[in-house]
Amino acid sequence: MISFILTLKRFLKALWSAFKLKNFQVLFVLVLVMLFSGTIFYVKQEGLTVIDSLYFCVVTFSTVGHPSFEPQTTLGEVFTMIYIVGGTGLFMGLIGYLAYAIIKKPENESNTTISECKGMLIIIGIPFLS
């Protein structure tokens, strides 16, 4: 449980850090617009409930896919193809910015340069292929 809480804390900190980036903000808004428009489309065109439509949109964005739903109309199929290509790209961009925010160093940490390492022995290893 402690591990989950620490991971959640790290994720929320990264999310907060990512929201400071303008590109992340734009991607976030575009993903919300895509989710909203997809949900409305599947409710109106395919007759799904709001929760089922939103669920389908999220699993489509995350490339998991919905195991039992197939669009019943030609318009639904065409929309889904466009939605998958556009939405997956936006979602992956959003995840990329989140990953960057998680792994980047905090700005208050000092970066030690080579010239500051006087008196230290630096060993660079090169793996050899056999």
Side-chain angles (χ1 to χ4, degrees):
M1 185 66 174
I2 292 174
S3 175
F4 172 74
I5 292 171
L6 291 174
T7 303
L8 182 62
K9 178 185 171 197
R10 186 174 180 193
F11 174 75
L12 292 175
K13 185 178 176 183
L15 190 61
W16 182 256
S17 174
F19 263 109
K20 295 176 184 174
L21 302 171
K22 194 56 116 176
N23 289 344
F24 181 82
Q25 294 171 2
V26 170
L27 280 173
F28 187 78
V29 168
L30 286 173
V31 166
L32 288 179
V33 167
M34 288 284 288
L35 285 173
F36 181 74
S37 63
T39 301
I40 297 299
F41 177 82
Y42 290 116
V43 166
K44 298 290 185 189
Q45 186 67 29
E46 299 293 330
L48 296 176
T49 65
V50 173
I51 294 296
D52 287 342
S53 297
L54 183 60
Y55 177 75
F56 178 73
C57 292
V58 170
V59 298
T60 301
F61 269 13
S62 63
T63 70
V64 173
H66 196 281
S68 61
F69 175 72
E70 293 179 12
Q72 303 301 314
T73 63
T74 304
L75 179 61
E77 291 173 346
V78 171
F79 179 82
T80 302
M81 287 186 285
I82 295 168
Y83 192 78
I84 288 170
V85 172
T88 303
L90 288 173
F91 186 76
M92 291 303 156
L94 192 73
I95 295 300
Y97 273 102
L98 273 176
Y100 171 74
I102 288 172
I103 63 172
K104 79 172 187 169
K105 282 184 176 176
E107 294 174 8
N108 57 2
E109 284 186 17
S110 66
N111 292 331
T112 306
T113 62
I114 299 254
S115 62
E116 296 171 346
C117 296
K118 293 181 181 171
M120 294 182 167
L121 176 63
I122 299 174
I123 299 174
I124 301 173
I126 301 172
F128 293 99
L129 299 175
S130 302

